[in-house]
Amino acid sequence: MSEKFSTKKTILLIVVSFVLYLVGALLSSLFMDFVFKFITFENKTVYEIFRHISDFAFVFLLLWLCIYKIFHLKFEDFGINLHFEWWGLVIAVLLPAYMVIVYLIAGKLTVNEHATAEKVFLILNSLTLGLQSGFLEEILFRGIFMKSLENRWNKTVAIWAPSLIFSLVHIPGMSSFSVLGILVLIVAGTMVGVMFSMAAYRGNSIANSAIIHAVWNFILIAYVFDIYPETGKSVKSIFSICLLTNNIFITGAEFGIEASIFAILAYVVVSLILMPKKKEL
């Protein structure tokens, strides 16, 4: 970006984009609630698929309007493009594969019974969820937030500040709350944010962090694999792994395996691999 942001403009851009992100999700929900009053589907999973698509469309449009029409900038100024690198695709596959292998060792695998059509819908649901959450969150945190802070201050602030915020906004997603569980989530959420930041900087694009984020959510967060502690309950996933322990460092406490010690280790290793040279920070 040729223009150097003031502190006021930086904060305003971050706040406005975050508010519009939330507004887009709300408008999408209201819109789909209205549509579904007139359209019904026999398979309930279809509703979720359309909600993911709608959410992506509404939020993306509002963020686009924010950047182009309110602040008169371009998505490209924030590294928001589709410039994928080969290593981004490799990491996107290896990260969830590593987690599945680790938890297959630590738990008991169950292949849940679903009709073929239901499996297809579950995969589509997982795919749309992964793309919607992965790309939208990367546009916001590693695109708008990170590049705005870098423009005003430096890359170090741009990496760590959005990563910490990223961890904090995931606290409401916890199944229940404890002090230790929240602390574990903050550490894990910040470190995965740093990992995504390194991927975005390494490829000079949010495309690489977004595809890593999207595939992770597709495999581990939606309905492909459900990994839960022995006192937990499985959702209607295709595969379930029941852990034989309730140790919070293995289960990730109330947030789940994304905050486990195995996940944190992966975030740190990938961050170190992708870390730019010191002079670039």
Side-chain angles (χ1 to χ4, degrees):
M1 287 176 277
S2 58
E3 175 193 358
K4 185 71 174 180
F5 292 174
S6 65
T7 301
K8 181 179 179 181
K9 182 172 182 177
T10 301
I11 295 173
L12 182 63
L13 178 53
I14 289 173
V15 171
V16 170
S17 59
F18 185 70
V19 169
L20 289 178
Y21 185 98
L22 299 178
V23 169
L26 176 61
L27 291 176
S28 170
S29 179
L30 294 174
F31 173 74
M32 294 313 298
D33 286 345
F34 174 77
V35 170
F36 291 148
K37 288 182 178 180
F38 306 98
I39 302 175
T40 58
F41 299 99
E42 183 176 346
N43 191 307
K44 302 301 181 182
T45 307
V46 178
Y47 291 100
E48 295 183 40
I49 294 172
F50 277 107
R51 285 187 182 278
H52 298 154
I53 296 172
S54 171
D55 192 55
F56 183 91
F58 273 85
V59 175
F60 185 89
L61 176 61
L62 288 183
L63 291 179
W64 183 89
L65 290 172
C66 171
I67 297 302
Y68 280 79
K69 300 301 181 181
I70 298 177
F71 290 93
H72 306 292
L73 296 165
K74 298 178 181 179
F75 266 177
E76 192 70 32
D77 296 329
F78 298 87
I80 302 172
N81 54 55
L82 294 177
H83 298 162
F84 295 100
E85 300 287 348
W86 67 268
W87 50 262
L89 301 176
V90 171
I91 293 172
V93 173
L94 291 183
L95 264 181
Y98 150 78
M99 291 293 286
V100 169
I101 292 171
V102 166
Y103 282 100
L104 282 174
I105 297 172
K108 180 181 178 182
L109 175 68
T110 300
V111 180
N112 297 317
E113 294 185 6
H114 295 289
T116 301
E118 180 63 19
K119 288 181 180 178
V120 171
F121 282 121
L122 289 175
I123 291 173
L124 287 175
N125 191 2
S126 301
L127 180 62
T128 53
L129 172 63
L131 292 173
Q132 173 255 331
S133 58
F135 276 82
L136 287 182
E137 288 181 10
E138 292 309 301
I139 287 173
L140 184 68
F141 287 96
R142 259 59 66 177
I144 298 172
F145 284 14
M146 192 171 76
K147 286 298 185 179
S148 297
L149 292 170
E150 179 191 354
N151 177 281
R152 178 63 186 88
W153 287 286
N154 54 57
K155 286 185 178 179
T156 302
V157 173
I159 289 171
W160 286 98
S163 298
L164 177 60
I165 296 171
F166 184 71
S167 71
L168 296 177
V169 299
H170 281 80
I171 291 177
M174 299 174 69
S175 59
S176 59
F177 302 95
S178 68
V179 173
L180 185 56
I182 291 173
L183 290 176
V184 169
L185 171 57
I186 290 174
V187 172
T190 301
M191 291 314 303
V192 74
V194 170
M195 181 188 74
F196 290 143
S197 299
M198 294 301 179
Y201 271 127
R202 182 68 174 266
N204 196 29
S205 169
I206 63 104
N208 300 290
S209 60
I211 196 63
I212 295 170
H213 197 157
V215 175
W216 176 279
N217 285 3
F218 167 64
I219 298 294
L220 298 174
I221 306 306
Y223 297 114
V224 178
F225 277 92
D226 176 34
I227 305 173
Y228 58 96
E230 58 182 349
T231 56
K233 293 182 179 180
S234 174
V235 296
K236 58 173 186 177
S237 57
I238 297 175
F239 304 100
S240 296
I241 300 178
C242 178
L243 302 178
L244 304 179
T245 177
N246 284 308
N247 186 299
I248 65 169
F249 295 106
I250 295 177
T251 64
E254 295 91 346
F255 192 74
I257 62 163
E258 289 180 281
S260 69
I261 191 66
F262 301 119
I264 293 172
L265 176 62
Y267 306 150
V268 172
V269 170
V270 174
S271 297
L272 291 174
I273 292 172
L274 296 178
M275 181 180 291
K277 296 178 181 179
K278 189 174 181 180
K279 65 181 181 179
E280 296 175 349
L281 292 176

